[in-house]
Amino acid sequence: MDAALKHLERNHDRFLNLLLDYLKIPSISAQRKHDADSRRAAEFIRARLDEAGFETGFFEGKGLPTVHGARLVDTKKPTLVVYGHYDVQPPDPLDLWESPPFEPVIEDGEIRARGCADDKGPSLALVLAAACWGKDLPMNLRFVIEGEEESGGTVVYDYLKVHRRDLADAKAVAIADAPGIARGVPALCYGLRGIAAVEVTVKGPARDLHSGTYGGSVANPATALARLLATLHDAKGCVAVQGFHEGARPIDDVERKRLSKLPFDERAFLADTGSPALVGEEGFTTWERRTARPTVEINGIFGGYEGEGSKTIIPSRATAKLTCRLVPGQDPKRVQDAVARHLESHAPKGVRLEIARGHTAPAAYMDPETPWAKAARAALERAYGCPAALTREGGSIPVVSAFREAGLEPLLLGTYAPGEKAHSPNERYHVEDFLACIRAGIHFFGAPPA
Amino acid sequence: MDAALKHLERNHDRFLNLLLDYLKIPSISAQRKHDADSRRAAEFIRARLDEAGFETGFFEGKGLPTVHGARLVDTKKPTLVVYGHYDVQPPDPLDLWESPPFEPVIEDGEIRARGCADDKGPSLALVLAAACWGKDLPMNLRFVIEGEEESGGTVVYDYLKVHRRDLADAKAVAIADAPGIARGVPALCYGLRGIAAVEVTVKGPARDLHSGTYGGSVANPATALARLLATLHDAKGCVAVQGFHEGARPIDDVERKRLSKLPFDERAFLADTGSPALVGEEGFTTWERRTARPTVEINGIFGGYEGEGSKTIIPSRATAKLTCRLVPGQDPKRVQDAVARHLESHAPKGVRLEIARGHTAPAAYMDPETPWAKAARAALERAYGCPAALTREGGSIPVVSAFREAGLEPLLLGTYAPGEKAHSPNERYHVEDFLACIRAGIHFFGAPPA
């Protein structure tokens, strides 16, 4: 361990320069004109894996390659998969950047460049952590670094299917593609919400009707839809759909207490949304509402006239697109059924409903007390000098589900400060967090669970 | 009177042929390429007025001319204005027509052509009625036949402003541009609803937010809008806005009884709408709901994602376009204020409202027992062989308000069968109704109020 940490100290500047070189490559996976750049980024990270003694390769599919590398030191020792991505978000709008997005600079201890925090910094850090161990690496490592995370590509999923057997020796996957909970405080995220989409169309007259001639004598589908949607929540902001909460695992007192102690900056969060206030289900904190409580959200609503001025019609139809966010224990298909039943049974008179079920994904709960999770937390604590916060997140991360399906325990590591503007102009990454993430890797790779 | 009616009998076929010639002119005011046709139609109807001994002219403005004609037989006798329009709706969709829209045919006693019922037939009929009286016309007549009724033009309004003085000798205006109440049953419409437009936008976050990361912790503007709109009506379908009904003249028992006896075919009305059922405010009939009760209708609603599939966002805003239909006694501006106050006071927490007031027009109530109204009803009864039904309509007719403002009592005559498909393909007009409308004109012009 000491030798590895010393290696880091001696190579400090070299590692930082490597990151700056990596950040100069505009590997924007969403843009075909940058495909050659993206491949250069793939070659770059593959070269670092080569230098660290990995057997590397490209998995090619429909799109940009997934880089893989294996270093198997002893089949009797445990094996960890490390996931990351070498592609970045488009930098637009360019005029909001204070320095060019692909000309990295270091100022006030921060690196400024597209992709520094998401995810070139953290994923390179873990490759370099392996390099620090040299020939003494105490466990087996397999890196999977894809190139289409930011553009919704599927090459990595094909890789997981095709190479499922190769990964059979591994029990866990470290995913260092998330923020921590506060400046200098890393996190292990153990919960993600699932999703269930439902679309409802309220149909009334066969055509748009003149609201003067007919108004008052037939049901207005937009009014009917509004009245219907108003029944989805009760006065306390709780979802009021019978059967919706079936199976949902409650947040127990221990967890609530822990979540309440997270150093969560609610004022900064509110400012980030731009909403007039934070509101939600009565009896829950903001963090619980956005990560650990199920929701029904209207993603879109439309019907009738949208142009300038007014058009005096009763629209023939009105539609709402809904998605439910689900917590562990809820069955997405049963939630869709419950919502559909609720809508049907609350439909106002004089209209017909059309209900379409959309995509679903279950919530994920990853026990933070397993040997692998404890090992990851211990490594983060040693590297950052404070315990890793245990958190949940409100969204779904498709690659987490894919790894779970491949039989691996996902370890979702939050290694940089929140507010680093991933996906926004002026993305930044604290140099300290880069070094801490390398240290975290050194500690993690050096102390696998027994 | 007898001589005039005899004249009609003798000229029966000639008059019908005149109408067919008139219908051959595609005077589609909405389409510039038909401007020459529209002017031909104006010349055509002007020529008929010339033949009937009128002093005629074109009032030119920004668009198609308004034809005017005066025949002043004796300044001591009463003067009536007769309004009509020579333009027609576009005939699209053409492929739904069973015979070409501008090649009129007569089948089963019906004329089939665009504009036959709306309004070339009825307005020509009244010109011909004047012609039937020849030099013995018992009252003064002023015709105003505009060319932009179907396209929302303003030339006729300019005419009414500029020639206000010329019309000062007239006390009433006959407007034969409405259907009767049933086949063979004419109508006098004495009530029109007014209008008050209000647009409400619910604003939440500064940008569309990820519904996974933020869902549950901020108010969703689409949900807030739905909950807000759901408060506009009570469970009985009555508008639940405080102050909304202020001043609204109730429908008294005498009127309700009369309206209930109208030969209104509710099944045909329902079939026309294509709605699953007729529904509305509890305690009122369909006819009352659509003509004599005030409403709040959503004309359009929109916010967030409208495309295919789903986009998991909390929309930053959602908008509803509302129009209220008003009954006599309601003040449109006060109604807008009441709706705005209601929306503000029912706004859910965590959102801001933006409310914009749109156009307004008061309802119209035209006493059906005035001497002029009685004279019109008597003429209709003699011509059609049954009493004219006294009705109200649910829409607003701008020209009615304009004539009222010019100091004239509008007499809204329903002279053809409902269901003649004005504005739709295969518009038709019963030959019998054309002749009855000429007779009605003869009777009306022959028996002015004392």
Side-chain angles (χ1 to χ4, degrees):
Chain A
M1 187 79 69
D2 285 351
L5 290 169
K6 265 209 182 107
H7 186 85
L8 165 57
E9 233 167 87
R10 278 197 306 271
N11 288 277
H12 211 276
D13 293 351
R14 190 170 65 87
F15 287 176
L16 196 54
N17 283 325
L18 277 175
L19 177 55
L20 298 182
D21 286 345
Y22 195 18
L23 293 173
K24 285 175 191 159
I25 309 171
S27 49
I28 306 165
S29 60
Q31 299 175 354
R32 294 287 65 77
K33 66 178 177 186
H34 284 293
D35 276 359
D37 295 319
S38 295
R39 285 189 175 266
R40 271 204 295 139
E43 296 286 1
F44 179 95
I45 195 72
R46 181 178 179 179
R48 304 291 82 72
L49 284 166
D50 287 335
E51 285 166 13
F54 283 73
E55 240 179 79
T56 62
F58 278 1
F59 177 80
E60 295 279 359
K62 265 192 195 168
L64 296 164
T66 291
V67 179
H68 54 89
R71 202 164 154 217
L72 308 176
V73 294
D74 182 344
T75 52
K76 286 190 292 292
K77 292 196 171 159
T79 303
L80 177 70
V81 176
V82 180
Y83 165 89
H85 62 90
Y86 62 80
D87 63 324
V88 302
Q89 279 276 317
D92 315 76
L94 277 173
D95 55 327
L96 295 185
W97 285 80
E98 284 158 20
S99 57
F102 297 106
E103 296 175 24
V105 294
I106 302 181
E107 250 177 70
D108 302 331
E110 292 172 5
I111 304 163
R112 310 263 168 85
R114 166 55 81 230
C116 55
D118 179 15
D119 176 50
K120 282 179 174 170
S123 57
L124 175 62
L126 295 182
V127 174
L128 297 174
C132 287
W133 275 104
K135 59 179 173 28
D136 301 321
L137 185 67
M139 66 189 293
N140 304 309
L141 288 178
R142 289 182 179 280
F143 274 81
V144 177
I145 301 185
E146 70 153 314
E148 300 194 307
E149 200 273 343
E150 301 292 6
S151 55
T154 57
V155 175
V156 72
Y157 301 104
D158 294 338
Y159 171 79
L160 290 181
K161 273 179 211 150
V162 173
H163 289 267
R164 196 162 190 148
R165 281 200 157 188
D166 297 342
L167 303 176
D169 53 355
K171 292 280 175 296
V173 53
I175 301 171
D177 191 17
I181 185 76
R183 179 83 191 85
V185 185
L188 181 77
C189 174
Y190 62 91
L192 294 168
R193 290 195 289 192
I195 198 164
V198 175
E199 183 169 319
V200 56
T201 295
V202 174
K203 300 174 85 172
R207 62 184 194 282
D208 291 351
L209 295 178
H210 191 291
S211 69
T213 309
Y214 297 89
S217 64
V218 295
N220 180 317
T223 305
L225 179 62
R227 295 181 76 86
L228 189 53
L229 296 173
T231 66
L232 290 172
H233 298 84
D234 65 19
K236 295 180 173 179
C238 182
V239 176
V241 173
Q242 207 184 346
F244 177 83
H245 293 90
E246 191 187 290
R249 184 197 303 226
I251 330 173
D252 66 29
D253 288 346
V254 175
E255 183 173 9
R256 298 194 73 172
K257 201 167 170 188
R258 199 174 59 216
L259 292 175
S260 74
K261 288 186 178 160
L262 291 176
F264 169 52
D265 185 344
E266 204 160 287
R267 276 181 61 174
F269 180 81
L270 172 61
D272 170 39
T273 66
S275 288
L278 296 176
V279 298
E281 197 176 353
E282 233 176 85
F284 295 93
T285 66
T286 296
W287 194 273
E288 289 165 351
R289 289 168 178 168
R290 59 171 287 269
T291 67
R293 289 297 299 167
T295 66
V296 181
E297 294 285 358
I298 303 174
N299 307 126
I301 189 168
F302 52 99
Y305 183 64
E306 300 192 10
E308 246 186 282
S310 75
K311 187 179 177 191
T312 50
I313 54 165
I314 299 170
S316 68
R317 52 164 64 204
T319 298
K321 289 174 177 282
L322 309 173
T323 47
C324 310
R325 292 285 165 174
L326 311 179
V327 299
Q330 284 180 294
D331 177 323
K333 302 280 184 200
R334 289 175 72 93
V335 165
Q336 285 180 320
D337 291 343
V339 170
R341 260 197 318 274
H342 177 94
L343 293 172
E344 289 288 5
S345 66
H346 287 75
K349 269 184 278 182
V351 295
R352 278 178 295 258
L353 298 195
E354 261 180 26
I355 296 174
R357 290 158 170 79
H359 65 295
T360 59
Y365 183 86
M366 298 157 288
D367 185 355
E369 304 296 343
T370 65
W372 276 106
K374 282 183 177 169
R377 288 161 60 187
L380 288 169
E381 182 165 353
R382 277 182 210 115
Y384 287 81
C386 69
L390 295 181
T391 66
R392 299 170 78 147
E393 270 302 328
S396 316
I397 302 181
V399 84
V400 166
S401 305
F403 277 116
R404 275 166 80 101
E405 278 162 31
L408 298 171
E409 178 186 343
L411 304 165
L412 194 50
L413 313 179
T415 63
Y416 57 87
E420 296 293 49
K421 303 187 180 168
H423 296 212
S424 296
N426 303 310
E427 183 174 347
R428 58 195 182 171
Y429 184 46
H430 286 79
V431 173
E432 248 177 53
D433 284 336
F434 178 58
L435 300 174
C437 191
I438 301 175
R439 281 200 304 275
I442 291 172
H443 285 292
F444 195 11
F445 305 156
Chain B
M1 187 81 65
D2 285 351
L5 290 169
K6 270 219 174 96
H7 187 86
L8 165 58
E9 232 166 89
R10 277 196 308 269
N11 289 277
H12 210 277
D13 292 350
R14 189 170 67 86
F15 287 175
L16 195 54
N17 283 326
L18 277 176
L19 176 55
L20 298 182
D21 285 346
Y22 195 17
L23 294 173
K24 284 176 191 156
I25 309 171
S27 48
I28 305 165
S29 61
Q31 299 175 353
R32 293 289 63 78
K33 65 178 177 185
H34 284 292
D35 276 358
D37 296 318
S38 296
R39 284 188 177 266
R40 272 204 293 140
E43 297 286 0
F44 180 95
I45 195 72
R46 180 179 180 178
R48 302 292 81 72
L49 284 165
D50 288 334
E51 285 165 10
F54 283 73
E55 239 178 82
T56 63
F58 279 0
F59 177 80
E60 297 279 356
K62 264 191 194 168
L64 295 165
T66 291
V67 179
H68 54 90
R71 201 161 157 221
L72 308 175
V73 293
D74 182 346
T75 52
K76 286 189 293 288
K77 291 194 172 161
T79 304
L80 176 70
V81 176
V82 180
Y83 166 88
H85 61 91
Y86 61 80
D87 63 323
V88 302
Q89 279 276 316
D92 315 76
L94 277 175
D95 55 328
L96 294 185
W97 284 80
E98 285 159 19
S99 57
F102 297 106
E103 297 174 24
V105 294
I106 301 181
E107 248 176 71
D108 302 330
E110 291 173 7
I111 302 163
R112 310 260 167 86
R114 166 55 82 228
C116 55
D118 180 14
D119 177 51
K120 282 179 174 171
S123 56
L124 176 62
L126 295 182
V127 175
L128 296 175
C132 285
W133 275 104
K135 60 180 175 24
D136 301 322
L137 185 67
M139 66 189 294
N140 304 309
L141 288 178
R142 289 182 180 279
F143 273 81
V144 178
I145 302 185
E146 69 153 314
E148 299 193 309
E149 199 274 343
E150 302 292 6
S151 56
T154 57
V155 175
V156 73
Y157 301 106
D158 293 339
Y159 172 78
L160 291 181
K161 273 178 211 150
V162 173
H163 288 267
R164 196 158 189 153
R165 281 203 159 185
D166 297 342
L167 301 176
D169 53 354
K171 293 278 176 298
V173 53
I175 301 172
D177 191 18
I181 185 76
R183 179 85 193 83
V185 185
L188 181 78
C189 174
Y190 63 90
L192 294 168
R193 291 196 288 191
I195 197 164
V198 175
E199 184 169 317
V200 56
T201 295
V202 175
K203 299 174 86 174
R207 61 184 195 281
D208 292 349
L209 295 178
H210 191 292
S211 69
T213 309
Y214 298 89
S217 65
V218 295
N220 180 317
T223 305
L225 179 62
R227 295 180 76 88
L228 190 53
L229 296 173
T231 67
L232 291 172
H233 298 85
D234 66 18
K236 295 181 173 179
C238 183
V239 175
V241 173
Q242 208 184 346
F244 177 83
H245 293 90
E246 191 187 292
R249 183 197 303 227
I251 328 173
D252 66 29
D253 288 346
V254 175
E255 183 174 8
R256 298 194 73 171
K257 200 165 168 187
R258 199 175 58 217
L259 292 175
S260 75
K261 288 187 179 158
L262 291 176
F264 169 52
D265 186 343
E266 205 161 285
R267 278 181 61 173
F269 179 80
L270 172 60
D272 171 41
T273 65
S275 287
L278 296 174
V279 298
E281 196 176 355
E282 234 176 85
F284 295 94
T285 65
T286 295
W287 195 273
E288 289 165 353
R289 289 168 177 168
R290 60 172 286 270
T291 67
R293 290 297 299 166
T295 65
V296 181
E297 295 286 356
I298 304 174
N299 307 128
I301 188 168
F302 53 99
Y305 183 65
E306 301 193 11
E308 246 186 281
S310 74
K311 187 178 178 193
T312 50
I313 54 164
I314 299 170
S316 67
R317 52 163 65 203
T319 298
K321 288 174 178 279
L322 309 174
T323 47
C324 310
R325 291 286 167 174
L326 310 179
V327 298
Q330 284 179 294
D331 177 324
K333 302 280 182 197
R334 290 177 71 92
V335 165
Q336 285 180 320
D337 291 343
V339 170
R341 261 196 319 273
H342 176 95
L343 293 171
E344 290 288 5
S345 66
H346 287 76
K349 269 184 279 184
V351 294
R352 277 179 297 257
L353 298 195
E354 262 180 28
I355 296 174
R357 289 159 171 80
H359 64 295
T360 58
Y365 183 88
M366 298 157 288
D367 184 355
E369 305 296 344
T370 65
W372 276 106
K374 282 184 177 167
R377 288 161 60 187
L380 289 169
E381 180 165 354
R382 276 183 209 114
Y384 287 81
C386 67
L390 294 183
T391 65
R392 297 169 78 145
E393 270 302 329
S396 315
I397 302 181
V399 84
V400 166
S401 306
F403 277 116
R404 275 165 80 100
E405 279 162 29
L408 297 172
E409 177 187 343
L411 304 165
L412 194 51
L413 312 179
T415 63
Y416 56 87
E420 297 292 50
K421 303 185 180 170
H423 295 211
S424 296
N426 302 310
E427 183 174 348
R428 59 195 181 171
Y429 184 45
H430 286 79
V431 173
E432 248 175 54
D433 284 337
F434 178 58
L435 300 174
C437 192
I438 301 175
R439 280 199 306 273
I442 291 171
H443 285 292
F444 195 10
F445 304 155

